[in-house]
Amino acid sequence: MRRLTKKKALTLVKELDAFPKVPESYVESTASGGTVSLIAFTLMAVLAFLEFFVYTNTWMKYEYEVDKDFSSKLKINVDITVAMRCQYIGADVLDLAENMVASDGLKYEAVNFELSPEQRLWHMTLLHIQERLRVEHALQDLLFKAAMKGAPPAQTQSEDSPSSLRACRIHGHLYVNKVAGNFHVTVGKSIPHPRGHAHLAALVSHDTYNFSHRIDLLSFGEEIPGIINPLDGTEKVSAESNHMFQYFITIVPTKLNTYKVSAETHQYSVTEQDRVINHAAGSHGVSGIFMKYDISSLMVKVTEQHMPLWQFLVRLCGIVGGIFSTTGMLHGVIGFLIDVFCCRFQMGIYRHLKEAPLNEQPNSETVVPTENDAQQ
């Protein structure tokens, strides 16, 4: 009884087989089938290879949320060279609440405004990258993933005496409140004032004014590789002594999370304007370099993502199964059309051979009756 029960169960399982086996005597190998199989295997190998490249590649996902951190300090990183002597200019920050931020973190260094050949090459390369970033926004994703951030060539110590150096390099960092503010470089050193602050510009002659400048670095937050700031490499040369340069900056908090870097920093966008100060012509203002910044309330989260393994396997199975099914159907349709086309000619040949014996009898003889046969 147990054996019969096992046989019945085995028979039932065999009847449920969704993949019935075809006897080998029914299978016929043809040249056309082998050609189609070779094409299908080649196509599957190529597509699977390309799909593997897609699997190894990553992409950047951008998300937005409200920035809830309003109590921390904002770090401003500065490296700017002005074509004036250091004793004639001063740099500081005044925020929206009219609070003057101490500029103790800034250093003043007497330098030449002209660049060395190595520095000029670096500067031109940086400007070229800036131009490409404005056109091809996907280049920023590549910089994020590669975490590329080369350092500019170090400035060599000049052999000239300090009195012959007519430019001033202002570099360092400041910590300010996360409110709108104004970082500026203008004539005279800044002094505290009950209503804000002031600059001692009365002791500086107008003939020494020259606010031609070059911004090697202006960033907010922690410096991380993979971010090239919009003002890095900016150079402005003015032929007028009284000139005002204004930069209007919108700072966006950014959380960057890639396979190489995980940090919180800030990106920014900028628009600029400059004009000559001429009180007689109605163009009023103060000569200098003014960077007015505001902080966005939205935070950008940039995350590097990768295709899951299960999704790669599903796509790979889809490629293999799809090519098998498609090539099988195409081979069947083409074979059917060929058979139909060939059968028409064969039917015409068979019909001609069948009709020939009815009209012609080459082996038969016709009997003619005679008179003797009629008498008998």
Side-chain angles (χ1 to χ4, degrees), residues 11 80 115-116 184 206 249 264 316 340:
T11 304
I80 180 173
L115 295 174
S116 63
H184 53 270
H206 285 272
I249 300 172
E264 294 186 9
L316 201 61
V340 170

Side-chain angles (χ1 to χ4, degrees), residues 22-304:
V22 180
E24 294 184 0
S25 58
Y26 294 169
V27 179
E28 181 181 359
S29 299
T30 61
S32 61
T35 304
V36 173
S37 299
L38 184 61
I39 295 174
F41 289 140
T42 304
L43 189 58
M44 279 189 289
V46 172
L47 292 180
F49 187 71
L50 295 177
E51 189 66 25
F52 179 75
F53 271 102
V54 175
Y55 171 70
T56 57
N57 192 20
T58 59
W59 63 89
M60 308 306 295
K61 180 181 179 181
Y62 292 83
E63 297 177 317
Y64 302 91
E65 63 181 25
V66 177
D67 184 18
K68 300 178 182 179
D69 183 14
F70 54 87
S71 59
S72 62
K73 295 289 185 178
L74 177 64
K75 182 181 179 181
I76 304 178
N77 307 291
V78 180
D79 190 350
I80 180 173
T81 302
V82 185
M84 289 183 65
R85 297 183 183 273
C86 293
Q87 61 266 28
Y88 296 153
I89 57 177
D92 57 7
V93 176
L94 188 66
D95 63 16
L96 191 62
E98 299 294 333
N99 294 323
M100 177 179 168
V101 179
S103 57
D104 299 337
L106 297 179
K107 299 179 181 179
Y108 295 79
E109 180 182 351
V111 295
N112 284 318
F113 190 76
E114 293 75 16
L115 295 174
S116 63
E118 294 81 7
Q119 293 173 338
R120 178 58 63 182
L121 179 60
W122 169 266
H123 184 262
M124 296 302 295
T125 304
L126 186 58
L127 290 180
H128 180 68
I129 295 175
Q130 294 280 22
E131 292 178 0
R132 300 310 303 173
L133 281 172
R134 296 187 186 98
V135 178
E136 300 179 7
H137 300 288
L139 182 59
Q140 183 60 64
D141 293 348
L142 179 62
L143 295 175
F144 279 145
K145 292 188 288 186
M148 294 184 297
K149 184 72 172 182
Q155 295 189 0
T156 57
Q157 295 293 332
S158 176
E159 297 179 356
D160 300 334
S161 60
S163 59
S164 62
L165 300 176
R166 299 181 177 276
C168 182
R169 178 192 176 201
I170 305 173
H171 60 97
H173 57 270
L174 299 169
Y175 289 94
V176 299
N177 297 321
K178 293 186 70 172
V179 295
N182 181 4
F183 170 76
H184 53 270
V185 180
T186 187
V187 179
K189 300 297 180 181
S190 60
I191 57 174
H193 192 271
R195 295 184 179 181
H197 78 299
H199 288 262
L200 295 176
L203 302 178
V204 182
S205 173
H206 285 272
D207 297 333
T208 61
Y209 284 17
N210 185 4
F211 283 99
S212 300
H213 62 280
R214 181 177 57 255
I215 302 175
D216 295 319
L217 173 66
L218 180 66
S219 63
F220 299 87
E222 297 298 328
E223 295 186 63
I224 60 176
I227 294 181
I228 298 179
N229 303 287
L231 287 178
D232 292 354
T234 301
E235 185 175 29
K236 301 290 184 180
V237 178
S238 174
E240 301 290 337
S241 56
N242 290 333
H243 208 130
M244 174 189 286
F245 296 91
Q246 292 178 306
Y247 299 94
F248 302 93
I249 300 172
T250 301
I251 304 171
V252 181
T254 304
K255 284 185 178 181
L256 183 62
N257 187 12
T258 66
Y259 291 106
K260 293 184 178 181
V261 178
S262 180
E264 294 186 9
T265 184
H266 294 75
Q267 300 182 92
Y268 65 88
S269 61
V270 60
T271 57
E272 57 184 74
Q273 178 185 1
D274 64 276
R275 58 187 175 90
V276 177
I277 302 300
N278 189 348
H279 298 287
S283 178
H284 304 289
V286 179
S287 301
I289 305 167
F290 298 87
M291 300 178 182
K292 301 180 180 180
Y293 60 87
D294 195 5
I295 303 176
S296 174
S297 59
L298 292 179
M299 174 184 291
V300 179
K301 295 178 64 177
V302 185
T303 308
E304 185 177 5

Side-chain angles (χ1 to χ4, degrees), residues 342-376:
C342 294
C343 284
R344 289 183 177 179
F345 287 96
Q346 293 178 0
M347 290 295 291
I349 295 174
Y350 294 155
R351 184 178 302 171
H352 178 72
L353 293 175
K354 290 179 179 180
E355 293 176 355
L358 298 176
N359 298 328
E360 299 179 0
Q361 296 180 358
N363 297 327
S364 62
E365 296 180 358
T366 304
V367 179
V368 179
T370 60
E371 294 180 358
N372 296 328
D373 295 334
Q375 293 176 358
Q376 293 178 359

